[in-house]
Amino acid sequence: MPEQTTFPYCPCGSQRRYSECCQRYHAGEKAPTPEALMRSRFTAFVLKIEDYLRASWHTSTQPTVLDLDNSPDWTSLRILDSSEQGDNGQVHFQAIYRLNPGWGYLQEHSQFVRENRRWYYLEGQPHEGVLKPGRNEPCPCGSGRKFKACCL
């Protein structure tokens, strides 16, 4: 697990430092909600923390091999909706990544389950596409600046 990152803020989009955000979950603390787990999993994909991703994946759907070397260059996460009811949770998110050239996204309705007071990612229905941000829209890199003043 990385002690610190080169990002000024946690990659999950919380606007907090990694040490104050997802790092505690990567170190073993239980994520309190499906959304917190989703954010920590996104950050683990960015930082390529395979052990955490496998540990946070429910054993019934966990892949036998996880190749993060060929993973996209993830840049930002947008939580579109999240909910929980009892021991079941859902998170609808959009994860943005760099394409050469341009931007892509993976949007997913993810299902989570809680067992022994710990949330696990169960499964999701992903949809991928090309992202074409407008000049005055927020930059997909997650900087908070307009696209025309950042990565255009």
Side-chain angles (χ1 to χ4, degrees):
M1 179 189 61
E3 291 300 315
Q4 57 186 11
T5 69
T6 58
F7 304 102
Y9 297 104
C10 189
C12 79
S14 68
Q15 297 302 308
R16 297 184 310 202
R17 296 194 179 286
Y18 173 65
S19 61
E20 300 165 350
C21 193
C22 291
Q23 185 178 27
R24 60 185 165 182
Y25 307 129
H26 296 162
E29 185 178 319
K30 295 176 186 174
T33 64
E35 182 177 331
L37 181 61
M38 183 65 243
R39 288 181 178 281
S40 68
R41 285 178 54 82
F42 175 80
T43 298
F45 272 105
V46 171
L47 302 177
K48 301 186 184 306
I49 308 172
E50 183 177 336
D51 291 345
Y52 178 76
L53 289 166
R54 294 183 59 73
S56 63
W57 212 307
H58 194 268
T59 57
S60 68
T61 57
Q62 185 183 81
T64 54
V65 176
L66 188 60
D67 181 13
L68 297 181
D69 290 334
N70 295 317
S71 181
D73 180 14
W74 300 107
T75 61
S76 63
L77 176 69
R78 297 175 184 161
I79 301 295
L80 305 174
D81 189 35
S82 66
S83 63
E84 61 182 275
Q85 188 169 31
D87 290 334
N88 295 297
Q90 298 82 34
V91 177
H92 181 200
F93 71 90
Q94 186 180 61
I96 310 298
Y97 57 89
R98 290 185 197 276
L99 288 173
N100 193 5
W103 302 91
Y105 69 87
L106 180 137
Q107 190 164 312
E108 183 174 296
H109 290 272
S110 300
Q111 302 298 313
F112 295 81
V113 65
R114 182 169 41 199
E115 290 182 354
N116 300 318
R117 299 187 322 222
R118 182 177 291 274
W119 285 103
Y120 294 94
Y121 171 77
L122 187 60
E123 63 185 351
Q125 296 89 37
H127 169 75
E128 288 194 66
V130 175
L131 187 69
K132 297 180 181 178
R135 293 174 48 82
N136 290 315
E137 290 181 18
C139 189
C141 76
S143 69
R145 297 186 299 174
K146 289 184 178 182
F147 182 53
K148 68 181 179 186
C150 193
C151 292
L152 180 60

